[in-house]
Amino acid sequence: MNIKKLGKLALPYLVWMLVLVGIPLLMIFILSFMNTDGVSFAGATWTTAAWEKMFTLADTTNLQILGYTFLTAFVATVICFLIGYPMAYIVARSPFSNKFVILILTIIPMWSNSLLRNVALKNILSESNILDSLLSRIGLSFSIVFANQDQATFISIVIGLVLTFLPFMILPIYTVIEKIDESLLEASMDLGANRVRTFAKVTFPLSMKGVTTGIIMVFLPCFSGFAIQKLLSSGTVYVLGSLIEVNYIHDINFVSMLSIVILVLIFGSMMIVNKVDKEGATLV
Amino acid sequence: MAKKLIELKDITKMYDGTAVVDHINLYINENEFITLLGPSGCGKTTTLRMIGGFEKPDSGEVVMNGAVVNDIPPYERPINTVFQRYALFPHLNVYDNIAFGLRNQKVPKAEIAERVENALKMVSLPNFALRKVANLSGGQMQRVAIARAIVNKPKILLLDEPLAALDLKLRQNMQYELKEMQRKLGITFVYVTHDQEEALTMSDTIVVMKDGVIQQIGTPTGIYNEPKNRFVARFIGESNILDGVYVRQNLVSFMGAEFDCVDTQFADGEPVDVVIRPEDLDIIDAVGAKLIGEVSSSIFRGVHFELCVMVQGKEFVIHTYENRKVGEHVGLRVDSYEIHLMKVEHVEH
Ligand SMILES: Nc1ncnc2c1ncn2[C@@H]1O[C@H](COP(=O)(O)OP(=O)(O)OP(=O)(O)O)[C@@H](O)[C@H]1O
Ligand SMILES: [Mg+2]
């Protein structure tokens, strides 16, 4: 098959992409540099007001929100990795024949309805919670004490994010570790590397592709979402996603700008994945 | 006296209820080149893996330097392996693959560079250091696998069909290089192959296996000239194997005639298997010969001709320098010391 034929086959897809993705994206980009009344170009003028509203040092509220969003997403991703990698590793290296089923069993609870789960979580983390009221009947008590409200909110949000997105970390890592040829580990031990060194020099490098995918699959929704954060902070905390939520009706330009910021981040991470993937292509 | 380096004592390995390696007893001397030879699936790799520590025997002991090592992990054994399926690290280039073992031993950088370079030269892959292993050909991967093992100069080297993917010229080259290494570095080689010619040319000792059972252990000439049973005779080179009867001392009868022989360890009247190598049969005039037949085919094999001669409905293979025409009637002669007698086995496959 030659390139030209492929090119022709790709044409409908390209048109499709252009109409449904390219043009809307371009619109968003243009809108972020305008002052419009909703999605209408009547009486519109060019301005960088939306960008200034975000990246100004005069009023750092929005920058702080960006920072807070990043921090929660980052911490949640790190924790997902710290929990997810060992889980994926242990299951993938277990001697069972139907490992995937075991893996699914461990992550099924995380696939229960996200809203219900987070409401429950919120309840458990609050002072008068369901566990406490149950335990009080046998004379025990249960409540988690936080230093202050900010800390409580931050920790709740991180826990909520971790519980929701952990499977997205576990699955890709599990997949790559499962695929690593046992004979490579034997070769490593044959060459004098003990189990720890074999992990560091062979298993972990060979699982990097899954780790990168997992990190991006967790970080992106943590960074761009808002529902979990809103619920767990009782609406007291703003993240980037909430800025979009509250502004999309009356300030389309500001919202467009926010979308671009998130998009740049997504594309940036995609490029990282692609790079790792290319090196990873030799793994398969 | 040579020192015993490795001993396998009554080793058995079961997979799914069948013994893949069945009560093997074997010892390997220091600096010996020992070859496990046998058909596919006979348990060669499994035996090697138990020596390497990747597999635990279900019963029996692996002894190394006098100590039982059944529970010693591979990384604590003075052994390196060339794996049948190479097992090169895909995330490392050729250089890093070969340097892997040296780095584990904390060898200084400069020395690593030098030893890797030498190893690459030895396997005829200079200038390959920075290549990705995924882009190498099968033969090149195999040579990197050899380099990765020998660069460590281990006490014991296990090689699982290490030359299978190489062409004839390269294979002979590597055979020579490996023999040289054994001589120079005093490494003990445990070599697996199913190529009998390779086994005969390289080994000090050959272990012929079949279905997880050792059939015969001996020197190449010993195994070639005095195979213990039909299986060994057939597996080590071509053979004419005939049913015979040991008439009395130094006399055996087969194909309706009696022949002098030198074997003596049989009872009078005992049935025996008679082995005659193709190159030990001479073609003579049909008149007066004990074995008379008709040439049924003739193939030129480079140095010699391979003739098939039908004698009383039984086909004899003969290697000779003189060609004979198909259909010609010829006589066959064999010297008494080239008639080899074997005990008849009760179980035959
Ligand atoms: N892990 C395993 N599980 C089950 N059966 C196995 C396992 N490893 C080997 N076997 C079986 O044990 C037998 C011997 O295998 P082994 O690999 O030792 O043969 P081999 O002599 O090396 O053959 P080849 O020349 O084809 O490499 C084969 O029948 C094989 O299918
Ligand atoms: Mg094998």
Side-chain angles (χ1 to χ4, degrees), chain A residues 64-76:
Chain A
Q64 275 172 23
I65 289 174
L66 178 66
Y68 192 82
T69 314
F70 184 85
L71 191 66
T72 45
F74 179 78
V75 172

Side-chain angles (χ1 to χ4, degrees), chain B residues 29-66:
Chain B
N29 288 325
E30 202 155 33
N31 200 19
E32 187 174 10
F33 196 118
I34 195 165
T35 300
L36 307 182
L37 180 65
S40 184
C42 73
K44 304 182 296 286
T45 299
T46 308
T47 306
L48 211 61
R49 286 172 60 77
M50 287 190 285
I51 299 175
F54 305 112
E55 217 78 67
K56 269 190 202 165
D58 290 311
S59 70
E61 286 175 344
V62 182
V63 179
M64 226 165 266
N65 276 326

Side-chain angles (χ1 to χ4, degrees), chain B residues 41 44-46 84 160-161 192:
Chain B
K44 304 182 296 286
T45 299
T46 308
Q84 187 166 17
D160 200 344
E161 306 195 13
V192 163

